Amino acid sequence: MGDAVPALAVAAPVGIGPWSWSLDPPAALALAIGFLYWLSNRRTVGPARTRAERRRRHLYFYAGIAVVLIALASPLDAYSERLFWAHMTQHVLLIVLAPPLIVLARPWVRLWRVLPLPARQTLGRSLARGHLSGLRRLGAFLGAPLPTFVLFCGVVLIWHIPALFDATLESESLHALEHTLFFVTALMFWKQVIDSPPLHAPLSDMWRMAYLVGAMVVMWLLAIVLALAPRALYAPYAHEATRPGGLSALTDQQIAAGVMWVPGSITLVLALFYYVNRWLNAADESPRPLPRLASDH
């Protein structure tokens, strides 16, 4: 695949180290949401019999927030300015790791309760009286399986078009929009795959498997394009004079393709195996017709 891939012993650029954490607006928002969730937990008392389940869900939620912070605020973000594979790692974390953890946590009711009571009452009355019917219909349409799938795959593909991707590297606001759309559309996608009450996932196990396979195919196609391209596709990385580890631009891009292909598929494959196993077990446990008894003559 072009250049020989050297060992990934990445030397830190000057000024980047374990202390290189930042708090850009998207990361600050994630931290604020994590704090609001914690605040809601402090105000909520549940039955003792559900304590273990609640703790597990809290763990999922805080792990999801931690993954977002690692993607957007850790030294990984600083490396992403010079290494395409580090940038792709950010995308993978925001698409296939943080969102399923958040969906597994089922945080929707707790986050709703964080709003002041008057705000909840006003919003509830507006929804009940149809004042926000247009917004509700739009949400219902975008939350349906097919529009969600198209939107998720479209966002992943469109933002990796070289011209648009290069623009995000030149504009902090556009870059923040890119990452926000990755995360939000991935939340919508995983909500179709993982049950997350009170949100309802309408797909059968068979369709969830097809959903996951379809997403994997899209991500694999993108990875193949990046891996087989004869030159570096993204100008800011192609024109980088030196990179940590001494990587060439093309090798950097090929490693990024590997990140999208392998780590980017792990969560999808695990979910696929889960539903394949559940579907097979359901087939084994389905009632079988009783043998017919021979008629007496």
Side-chain angles (χ1 to χ4, degrees), residues 71 76 84-95 256 259-260:
L76 178 65
F84 181 34
W85 73 259
H87 199 155
M88 187 63 78
T89 301
Q90 286 183 300
H91 293 179
V92 167
L93 293 176
L94 293 172
I95 292 171
V259 170
M260 171 68 79

Side-chain angles (χ1 to χ4, degrees), residues 133-180:
S133 58
L135 184 61
R136 187 168 54 185
R137 285 196 297 270
L138 177 62
F141 171 74
L142 293 178
L146 182 57
T148 292
F149 182 82
V150 172
L151 190 61
F152 169 77
C153 294
V155 164
V156 170
L157 294 175
I158 288 171
W159 283 103
H160 286 93
I161 293 173
L164 194 54
F165 192 96
D166 291 350
T168 66
L169 298 175
E170 303 296 332
S171 168
E172 287 293 333
S173 57
L174 198 60
H175 201 180
L177 176 62
E178 174 200 36
H179 286 167
T180 300

Side-chain angles (χ1 to χ4, degrees), residues 33-41 58 61-62 107 110-111:
I33 291 173
F35 173 75
L36 292 175
Y37 182 87
W38 174 84
L39 194 62
S40 178
N41 286 340
H58 299 340
F61 182 81
Y62 293 127
R110 290 186 183 276
L111 291 176

Side-chain angles (χ1 to χ4, degrees), residues 2-296:
D3 302 8
V5 179
L8 285 179
V10 179
V14 176
I16 299 179
W19 57 86
S20 302
W21 288 72
S22 61
L23 200 60
D24 293 336
L29 178 60
L31 198 59
I33 291 173
F35 173 75
L36 292 175
Y37 182 87
W38 174 84
L39 194 62
S40 178
N41 286 340
R42 299 274 294 178
R43 298 175 178 176
T44 304
V45 178
R49 68 178 181 275
T50 64
R51 184 175 298 132
E53 180 188 356
R54 293 200 310 272
R55 286 177 178 171
R56 184 170 61 253
R57 286 162 52 186
H58 299 340
L59 179 62
Y60 289 145
F61 182 81
Y62 293 127
I65 293 295
V67 170
V68 172
L69 293 176
I70 290 170
L72 301 181
S74 76
L76 178 65
D77 186 52
Y79 276 112
S80 72
E81 296 179 3
R82 298 187 60 191
L83 289 166
F84 181 34
W85 73 259
H87 199 155
M88 187 63 78
T89 301
Q90 286 183 300
H91 293 179
V92 167
L93 293 176
L94 293 172
I95 292 171
V96 299
L97 188 53
L101 287 170
I102 298 293
V103 172
L104 280 168
R106 308 177 184 180
W108 324 115
V109 173
R110 290 186 183 276
L111 291 176
W112 169 258
R113 287 175 180 165
V114 169
L115 295 174
L117 182 59
R120 281 183 279 157
Q121 290 174 335
T122 300
L123 186 57
R125 283 195 295 267
S126 297
L127 290 171
R129 295 172 182 173
H131 296 165
L132 301 176
S133 58
L135 184 61
R136 187 168 54 185
R137 285 196 297 270
L138 177 62
F141 171 74
L142 293 178
L146 182 57
T148 292
F149 182 82
V150 172
L151 190 61
F152 169 77
C153 294
V155 164
V156 170
L157 294 175
I158 288 171
W159 283 103
H160 286 93
I161 293 173
L164 194 54
F165 192 96
D166 291 350
T168 66
L169 298 175
E170 303 296 332
S171 168
E172 287 293 333
S173 57
L174 198 60
H175 201 180
L177 176 62
E178 174 200 36
H179 286 167
T180 300
L181 288 176
F182 280 151
F183 181 73
V184 171
T185 56
L187 273 180
M188 295 166 60
F189 172 87
W190 286 102
K191 191 272 293 183
Q192 303 291 342
V193 175
I194 300 171
D195 292 316
S196 188
L199 302 180
H200 175 59
L203 295 173
S204 66
D205 286 356
M206 179 70 75
W207 278 109
R208 293 186 199 198
M209 288 186 278
Y211 215 71
L212 291 162
V213 170
M216 278 193 290
V217 168
V218 169
M219 296 180 71
W220 289 351
L221 287 174
L222 176 58
I224 289 170
V225 169
L226 295 175
L228 299 183
R231 59 181 179 83
L233 298 178
Y234 303 108
Y237 294 114
H239 298 154
E240 188 75 33
T242 60
R243 291 168 195 78
L247 300 176
S248 70
L250 189 58
T251 297
D252 184 24
Q253 182 170 288
Q254 291 166 350
I255 296 171
V259 170
M260 171 68 79
W261 195 320
V262 181
S265 300
I266 290 174
T267 312
L268 294 163
V269 169
L270 289 175
L272 180 61
F273 282 169
Y274 171 81
Y275 285 113
V276 167
N277 181 67
R278 195 166 81 166
W279 177 63
L280 292 175
N281 287 339
D284 290 342
E285 295 170 4
S286 58
R288 299 179 180 178
L290 295 174
R292 297 183 63 181
L293 298 177
S295 302
D296 293 331

